[in-house]
Amino acid sequence: MSAKEQILSILEAFASTERMGSFFVDNATQDFLFIRPSGNPIDAKGFKEMWSSGDLVLESAEITKVHKFDFLGPDAAICVFTLGSKFTYKGTQNDDLPTITSIFKRIDEKWKVAWMQRSSGKSDMSLWNK
Amino acid sequence: MSAKEQILSILEAFASTERMGSFFVDNATQDFLFIRPSGNPIDAKGFKEMWSSGDLVLESAEITKVHKFDFLGPDAAICVFTLGSKFTYKGTQNDDLPTITSIFKRIDEKWKVAWMQRSSGKSDMSLWNK
């Protein structure tokens, strides 16, 4: 697999109902943080706890569209994508289309997620076609 | 100036009432996009138009804190920061503390903003100290 294929396959694995919660514990750098729509950071362990609390139940997730993929050096890349996801939060149904900026780093020949920031869930996909 | 100093000085220039609106027209890459809290993208020209519409009036802006600065290769860097800003939108006062993930690239010896995603405005700064 090319480096780009490896990174996209990591994102596909992230967008999975079985793996999303614990995903960053296994696939992120030590200093990884996930920036929530509020701007508040959460680390891999906190992200896992959020999903295991029972308040959030993920029904489906997919990489709806990759808007940008670009190498930033021999061992770093940026990938910006829309993550389609359906979930319930304390019983309330959500159908989200957030934009996510993700940064990947290659460490010891293995690509890791080094940073992610996600928007709120109601992005307008048509704006990417302009 | 070191590369890091150059990049931070670009961010300081961005956080200015005189320059913010037109900033990306002069200091961003051709394919630059700014991701709004909604997840919707806006380009440098659209960002400028947003600020020149008259609906938004910036009163003050500052780089409140740099949370992360990291080179991603010889010619790329990530900088994550809180942008303190006071502005009015259609007459309503706002006092914002969004988290912004920014990516910089060096092109022809000059550092340019290549990507920015900002959160909504009410982040909790105390969460960065954990």
Side-chain angles (χ1 to χ4, degrees), chain A residues 47-92:
Chain A
F47 191 87
K48 184 177 180 179
E49 286 167 0
M50 185 176 77
W51 283 100
S52 60
S53 69
D55 289 342
L56 270 169
V57 180
L58 185 63
E59 291 171 16
S60 68
E62 57 162 19
I63 307 297
T64 306
K65 193 168 180 194
V66 173
H67 304 293
K68 181 186 185 74
F69 185 94
D70 197 8
F71 286 101
L72 298 168
D75 297 309
I78 179 174
C79 185
V80 180
F81 58 97
T82 298
L83 178 74
S85 64
K86 293 185 207 284
F87 63 92
T88 54
Y89 178 67
K90 295 185 176 177
T92 303

Side-chain angles (χ1 to χ4, degrees), chain A residues 31 33 35 37-41 68 70 72 76 78 80 99 101 103 105 115 117-120 123-124 127-128, chain B residues 31 33 35 37-41 68 70 72 76 78 80 99 101 103 105 115 117-120 123-124 127-128:
Chain A
D31 59 351
L33 290 173
I35 308 300
S38 60
N40 292 339
K68 181 186 185 74
D70 197 8
L72 298 168
I78 179 174
V80 180
T99 301
T101 294
I103 302 297
K105 280 189 190 177
W115 198 260
Q117 178 160 356
R118 73 153 270 176
S119 71
S120 59
S123 68
D124 179 355
L127 293 173
W128 291 96
Chain B
D31 59 351
L33 289 174
I35 308 300
S38 60
N40 291 340
K68 182 186 183 74
D70 197 9
L72 298 167
I78 179 174
V80 180
T99 301
T101 294
I103 303 296
K105 280 190 189 175
W115 198 260
Q117 178 159 357
R118 72 153 270 175
S119 71
S120 58
S123 69
D124 178 353
L127 293 172
W128 290 96

Side-chain angles (χ1 to χ4, degrees), chain B residues 53-57 87-94:
Chain B
S53 69
D55 290 343
L56 271 169
V57 179
F87 62 92
T88 54
Y89 178 67
K90 294 185 177 177
T92 303
Q93 180 81 37
N94 284 272

